[in-house]
């Protein structure tokens, strides 16, 4: 009842705000939402490709996707509650840099070095967002960025997820915070990007419900009365670190060059001083002159003037320019990971074995890693679609890590290992007059625990520049990676699982083709996997010696018909060996929107439906003690549509959504499990608001 009251109160305030903004009858003045331009940059540490992006801080389409693991192209099997572990329904074998401990089940929730945003704005920017719903689900986030001084900007991102869930011991308690900044000297020869991040995730693990029939046959409508497998198990994950990336530019800054603009009309001179009005954000600009105040003026003929132009500069401000080349770079990173799994009743019958303590499970893993990387990047010439006609980046990285595996709290027993790795890498691109762009990457790692890891890939883009509004762009790539399996497959010692393996390398051959034009994207991916390592039906790592292949065909379309918008994403997948790798043959999401502006554009309203579906398959089961998924042959999941109904609306700087999640709950049976023994939530109402501030 209190949630309903809060929703009604918020809607009342919104409507009052609308009427307060409506002009008097007969007025020709048309109101429009006030906003400000905020840009951001994320950093790809190893390869080029970072770019300045504009924040869609007033966009309504897709605003109802408030869950970090849900989106128009995010298709994941989740453990029944927001903030818990999840698994991607689309096969993606891409490996992260650094220490690969295990396939991540929380990656979308983390604030990481590669997704932390470095903001660029004219004025201090803040955003506050809050949402709540059934199962005492709450999400809260705060973002703030401010230019402290010319060349120095600081910001902070805070995210909190707390949800009790509908079943016993299903609570998630997640929090992430990142402080970030950028510093650029006045001569723009030196730049530094830096951050501190901290992620803390705590889950109650229930091991799934004991008897699926109580749910699938709806024998127990009171979900919190259904018995569960684990009564006192918890997972705690802590990840934190610091990041510092320093640039010294030795080349010319292309955005600092003087440009010549020819005036189209005669100009007025005001006491021999001229004022340029408008933005100068392109290479060649037309200059508009304006008289300010009363002054004696003299008419002169048209002439040429020189104006300094820099897209990376705002009035009185300097920001990092990711498109600038010709630099030497040093990057220092420190990462600390702590993982703890506890259970007060190891003899519950859930675990296959008990190795250490039958009274209490206390499995801990600590990993610290220090990394230093040195990079040179330079190029020659200029071509349409890229800063350099030929660009070379080469680098070397040294990493030192300490790994500790604890297994007995009372005796303080643990196993400690130290690792040293050196990785060399290079990138080369060539742009043929904007017609085509060829790119190549190569990297090699030496040192434990990923000794001999290597990869090489090539990509061709036609044309070399963004041609999405005309004929579109076509890209094709081919790559080979030879990788040691994640460390959890190589070594693990705990109360319920123990092994030490030498599997050797897995080889992944990939070929990809993609076409993108305006609001259409389609592609085909093909993978050949040799020596694939996975968790079998006993949640133990095994290697599949025979090679097999994975084929994927996907498409993304955005169609606008007047006030109606349709966004659709679908993928087809085929695996030649379904004994070791399980994915649905078909999965996708389609969302339909109806948008309208009301009260002379003071209110923007959008309503619609969103449907997510995947075909039936033997979805992977979840093992809490490993925080990992493993294959199973008993329960088929999928073949069930999840339909959400939503209303999105915007009043000035505030956006709000009202979502009825799982609108069709109970209408077509009770087989809505995405992970075996972890039912999805029943129908429930969610409400959220996001408010921007520019001061």
């Amino acid at each position: 009842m209190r949630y309903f009251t809060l929703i009604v109160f918020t809607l009342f305030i919104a409507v009052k705000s609308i009427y307060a903004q409506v002009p008097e009858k007969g007025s020709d003045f048309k109101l429009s939402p006030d906003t400000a331009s905020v840009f951001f940059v994320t950093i790809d540490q190893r390869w080029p490709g970072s770019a300045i992006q504009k924040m869609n801080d007033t966009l309504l389409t897709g605003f109802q996707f408030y869950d970090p693991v849900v989106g128009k192209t995010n298709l994941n099997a989740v453990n029944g509650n927001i903030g818990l572990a999840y698994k991607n329904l689309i096969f993606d074998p891409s490996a992260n840099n650094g220490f690969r401990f295990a396939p991540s089940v929380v990656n979308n929730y983390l604030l990481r070095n590669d997704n932390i945003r470095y903001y660029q704005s004219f004025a201090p920017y803040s955003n506050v967002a809050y949402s709540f719903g059934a199962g005492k689900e709450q999400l809260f986030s705060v973002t703030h960025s401010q230019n402290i001084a010319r060349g120095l900007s600081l910001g902070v991102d805070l995210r909190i997820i707390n949800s009790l869930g509908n079943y016993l011991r299903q609570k998630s308690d997640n929090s992430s915070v990142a402080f970030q900044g950028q510093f650029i000297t006045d001569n723009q020869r030196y730049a530094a990007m830096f951050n501190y991040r901290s992620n803390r995730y705590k889950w109650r693990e229930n091991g799934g419900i004991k008897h699926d029939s109580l749910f699938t046959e709806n024998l127990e409508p009171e979900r919190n009365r259904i018995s569960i497998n684990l009564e006192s198990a918890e997972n705690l994950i802590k990840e934190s670190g610091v990041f510092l990336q320093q640039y010294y530019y030795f080349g010319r800054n292309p955005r600092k060059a003087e440009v010549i603009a020819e005036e189209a009309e005669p100009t007025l001179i005001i006491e021999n001083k001229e004022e340029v009005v408008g933005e100068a954000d392109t290479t060649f600009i037309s200059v508009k002159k304006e008289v300010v105040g009363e002054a004696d003026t003299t008419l002169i003929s048209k002439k040429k003037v020189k104006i300094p132009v820099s897209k990376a500069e705002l009035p009185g401000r300097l920001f990092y320019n990711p498109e600038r080349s010709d630099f030497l770079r040093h990057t220092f990173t420190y990462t600390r990971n702590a993982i703890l799994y506890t259970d007060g009743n190891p003899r519950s019958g859930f675990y296959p074995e008990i190795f250490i303590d039958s009274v209490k499970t206390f499995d801990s893993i600590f990993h610290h890693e220090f990394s230093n990387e040195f990079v040179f990047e330079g190029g020659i010439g200029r071509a349409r679609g890229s800063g350099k006609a030929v660009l070379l980046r080469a680098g070397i990285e040294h990493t030192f890590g300490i790994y500790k595996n604890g297994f007995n709290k009372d005796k303080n027993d643990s196993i400690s290992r130290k690792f040293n790795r050196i990785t060399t890498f290079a990138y080369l691109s060539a742009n043929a007059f904007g017609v085509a762009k060829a790119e190549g990457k190569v990297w090699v790692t030496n040192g434990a625990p990923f000794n001999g890891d290597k990869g090489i890939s090539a990509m061709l883009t036609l044309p070399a520049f963004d041609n999405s509004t005309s004929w579109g762009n076509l890209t094709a790539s081919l790559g080979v990676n030879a990788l040691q399996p994640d460390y959890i497959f190589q070594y693990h010692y705990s109360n319920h699982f123990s092994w030490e393996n030498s599997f050797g390398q897995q080889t992944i051959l990939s070929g990809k083709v993609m076409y993108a034009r305006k609001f259409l994207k389609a592609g085909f991916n093909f993978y050949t996997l040799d020596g694939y390592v996975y968790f079998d039906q006993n949640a133990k790592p095994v290697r599949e010696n025979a090679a097999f292949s994975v084929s994927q065909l996907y498409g993304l379309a955005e169609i606008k018909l007047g006030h109606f918008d349709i966004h659709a994403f679908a993928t087809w997948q085929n695996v030649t060996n379904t004994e070791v790798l399980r994915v649905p043959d078909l999965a996708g999401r389609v969302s339909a929107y109806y948008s309208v502006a009301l009260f002379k554009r003071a209110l923007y309203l959008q309503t619609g439906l969103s449907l997510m579906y995947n075909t039936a398959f033997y979805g992977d089961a979840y093992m809490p003690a490993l925080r990992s998924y493993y294959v199973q042959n008993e329960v088929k999941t999928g073949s069930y549509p999840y339909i959400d109904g939503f209303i999105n609306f915007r009043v000035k700087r505030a956006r709000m959504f009202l979502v009825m999640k799982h609108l069709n709950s109970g209408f077509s049976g009770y087989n809505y499990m995405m992970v075996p023994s972890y039912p999805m939530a029943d129908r429930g109402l969610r409400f959220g608001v996001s408010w921007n501030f520019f001061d």
Side-chain angles (χ1 to χ4, degrees):
M1 182 65 187
R2 58 183 178 182
Y3 288 156
F4 178 77
T5 303
L6 182 56
I7 293 172
V8 172
F9 176 74
T10 305
L11 292 174
F12 173 76
I13 295 298
V15 172
K16 290 289 287 182
S17 299
I18 293 168
Y19 280 102
Q21 297 173 66
V22 176
E24 296 180 2
K25 189 175 181 179
S27 172
D28 293 328
F29 179 72
K30 292 184 178 181
L31 292 174
S32 61
D34 61 342
T35 184
S37 295
V38 180
F39 301 86
F40 67 90
V41 175
T42 57
I43 295 177
D44 188 324
Q45 187 171 332
R46 182 166 293 179
W47 310 115
S50 297
I52 298 176
Q53 304 176 61
K54 185 175 181 180
M55 291 189 63
N56 294 318
D57 53 10
T58 59
L59 186 66
L60 283 180
T61 302
F63 181 55
Q64 75 278 5
F65 296 129
Y66 63 94
D67 188 337
V69 303
V70 176
K72 61 182 180 181
T73 60
N74 289 339
L75 305 177
N76 296 291
V78 298
N79 285 11
N81 189 22
I82 188 171
L84 298 183
Y86 69 92
K87 188 178 189 298
N88 198 342
L89 293 174
I90 303 174
F91 177 69
D92 181 8
S94 58
N96 296 325
N97 298 339
F99 186 82
R100 303 189 307 272
F101 171 67
S104 178
V105 295
V106 296
N107 207 45
N108 282 21
Y109 298 118
L110 291 171
L111 284 173
R112 312 179 307 270
N113 284 332
D114 62 345
N115 71 355
I116 290 176
R117 294 179 173 183
Y118 299 84
Y119 297 96
Q120 303 182 1
S121 60
F122 288 86
Y125 165 73
S126 300
N127 174 270
V128 178
Y130 176 71
S131 65
F132 61 89
K136 295 186 177 180
E137 174 187 294
Q138 297 182 88
L139 286 81
F140 178 72
S141 68
V142 174
T143 295
H144 178 74
S145 178
Q146 186 167 349
N147 186 258
I148 304 301
R150 177 175 169 82
L152 176 62
S153 299
L154 300 176
V156 61
D157 280 293
L158 171 67
R159 302 176 185 175
I160 296 174
I161 297 176
N162 190 287
S163 180
L164 190 62
N166 296 314
Y167 295 81
L168 294 173
R169 296 196 60 79
Q170 202 182 36
K171 182 180 180 180
S172 62
D173 184 7
N174 304 345
S175 61
S176 298
V177 63
F179 299 93
Q180 49 78 19
Q182 52 187 307
F183 172 72
I184 298 91
T185 59
D186 270 348
N187 61 11
Q188 300 186 46
R189 289 291 182 185
Y190 175 83
M193 317 289 286
F194 47 91
N195 74 60
Y196 166 78
R197 68 189 186 282
S198 177
N199 300 283
R200 179 187 178 276
Y201 300 128
K202 187 176 182 179
W203 315 320
R204 291 176 181 172
E205 297 279 15
N206 64 16
I209 60 176
K210 276 190 176 181
H211 308 289
D212 289 0
S213 60
L214 292 177
F215 165 73
T216 56
E217 299 176 19
N218 201 31
L219 300 177
E220 180 52 82
E222 295 294 330
R223 304 308 190 196
N224 58 6
R225 297 178 61 180
I226 297 178
S227 58
I228 56 177
N229 287 306
L230 297 175
E231 299 285 350
S232 57
E234 287 189 355
N235 256 311
L236 175 64
I237 299 177
K238 293 182 179 180
E239 194 273 349
S240 60
V242 295
F243 172 89
L244 172 63
Q245 190 167 87
Q246 305 176 82
Y247 294 80
Y248 175 74
Y249 295 96
F250 54 82
R252 173 175 170 269
N253 186 353
R255 289 186 172 178
K256 196 69 176 176
E258 286 188 331
V259 297
I260 299 178
E262 184 172 326
E263 299 174 7
E265 300 294 339
T267 254
L268 292 175
I269 301 294
I270 307 174
E271 298 180 346
N272 296 323
K273 293 183 180 180
E274 302 173 341
E275 179 176 346
V276 179
V277 178
E279 294 182 356
D281 59 355
T282 56
T283 304
F284 293 98
I285 62 172
S286 60
V287 182
K288 179 182 177 183
K289 299 297 165 66
E290 182 176 315
V291 179
V292 181
E294 296 181 0
D296 294 331
T297 60
T298 305
L299 188 65
I300 64 170
S301 60
K302 73 176 182 179
K303 63 176 183 178
K304 292 182 178 180
V305 295
K306 292 184 178 181
I307 303 168
V309 177
S310 175
K311 285 184 182 178
E313 289 190 48
L314 299 177
R317 296 163 176 80
L318 288 174
F319 295 103
Y320 165 69
N321 178 7
E323 298 177 7
R324 188 176 176 187
S325 184
D326 298 331
F327 58 74
L328 297 171
R329 191 185 77 189
H330 166 251
T331 304
F332 169 78
T333 59
Y334 168 70
T335 302
R336 180 183 185 275
N337 292 278
I339 304 173
L340 177 64
Y341 178 74
T342 59
D343 190 351
N345 184 20
R347 293 177 293 182
S348 62
F350 180 79
Y351 307 104
E353 297 175 278
I354 299 176
F355 292 111
I356 302 168
D357 191 340
S358 61
V359 177
K360 184 176 182 179
T361 295
F362 189 90
D363 299 333
S364 63
I365 295 172
F366 296 92
H367 176 251
H368 305 254
E369 189 168 83
F370 299 85
S371 173
N372 282 280
E373 178 190 87
F374 296 90
V375 168
F376 162 84
E377 180 177 298
I380 58 174
R382 297 190 64 80
R384 185 179 182 186
S386 62
K388 299 288 185 180
V390 178
L391 180 69
L392 170 67
R393 175 182 288 195
I396 184 169
E397 178 189 65
H398 173 260
T399 301
F400 171 73
I402 301 175
Y403 180 88
K404 291 184 179 181
N405 193 171
F407 46 85
N408 192 318
K409 180 182 180 182
D410 296 331
K411 296 182 180 180
N412 197 28
D413 289 340
S414 65
I415 296 173
S416 180
R417 298 184 174 187
K418 297 181 180 180
F419 302 126
N420 274 284
R421 297 193 310 277
I422 292 180
T423 301
T424 54
F425 56 93
Y427 166 91
L428 180 65
S429 69
N431 188 324
F433 310 105
V435 177
K437 182 179 181 180
E439 301 170 85
K441 302 175 183 177
V442 61
W443 62 275
V444 179
T445 295
N446 290 288
F450 308 118
N451 188 44
D453 281 10
K454 62 185 73 72
I456 185 171
S457 63
M459 184 171 70
L460 180 67
T461 304
L462 301 171
F465 56 92
D466 182 3
N467 196 43
S468 59
T469 58
S470 184
W471 293 98
N473 291 88
L474 180 66
T475 61
S477 65
L478 184 66
V480 180
N481 287 307
L483 306 170
Q484 297 283 348
D486 292 349
Y487 194 62
I488 194 173
F489 295 111
Q490 300 182 45
Y491 171 80
H492 187 69
Y493 188 54
S494 66
N495 200 25
H496 306 292
F497 296 93
S498 178
W499 54 73
E500 188 163 3
N501 300 311
S502 297
F503 287 123
Q505 291 184 327
Q506 310 170 90
T507 302
I508 304 174
L509 171 67
S510 63
K512 302 179 180 182
V513 177
M514 184 185 71
Y515 172 75
R517 179 180 183 269
K518 291 184 178 179
F519 306 110
L520 172 67
K521 184 182 291 185
F524 177 75
N525 300 332
F526 181 81
Y527 304 96
T528 297
L529 293 86
D530 191 3
Y532 182 69
V533 178
Y534 64 102
F535 285 114
D536 66 7
Q537 298 175 52
N538 299 312
K540 293 183 178 180
V542 294
R543 175 186 170 100
E544 174 60 36
N545 292 319
F548 64 96
S549 63
V550 180
S551 303
Q552 295 175 327
L553 183 66
Y554 64 90
L556 171 65
E558 299 179 4
I559 304 170
K560 185 172 181 62
L561 300 170
H563 290 281
F564 291 93
D565 289 87
I566 299 176
H567 290 196
F569 171 76
T571 182
W572 168 83
Q573 303 177 101
N574 179 65
V575 182
T576 59
N577 187 348
T578 56
E579 293 300 315
V580 301
L581 180 61
R582 313 282 176 80
V583 291
D585 293 337
L586 183 66
R589 173 176 279 111
V590 58
S591 302
Y593 303 86
Y594 176 79
S595 305
V596 64
L598 302 173
F599 304 108
K600 295 188 176 181
R601 299 175 63 202
L603 169 69
Y604 283 80
L605 181 69
Q606 185 182 78
T607 185
L609 297 172
S610 180
L611 181 147
M612 184 268 182
Y613 176 84
N614 64 270
T615 53
F617 74 114
Y618 287 104
D620 287 352
Y622 176 69
M623 171 49 68
L626 296 173
R627 296 159 298 276
S628 299
Y629 291 88
Y630 63 96
V631 298
Q632 57 87 29
N633 295 317
E634 298 178 0
V635 179
K636 274 195 171 184
T637 61
S639 189
Y640 181 89
Y642 295 90
I643 303 175
D644 298 339
F646 59 87
I647 300 175
N648 300 330
F649 49 99
R650 184 181 77 222
V651 180
K652 291 179 73 66
R653 296 175 179 173
R655 292 181 295 170
M656 287 164 273
F657 68 77
L658 189 62
V659 179
M660 180 60 74
K661 294 284 292 183
H662 200 176
L663 186 65
N664 58 315
S665 171
F667 292 166
S668 54
Y670 293 86
N671 61 327
Y672 41 91
M673 286 188 186
M674 304 188 78
V675 177
S677 298
Y678 287 86
M680 296 295 288
D682 299 316
R683 185 185 307 109
L685 192 65
R686 272 75 171 172
F687 174 78
V689 59
S690 175
W691 208 300
N692 293 319
F693 301 92
F694 303 93
D695 299 316

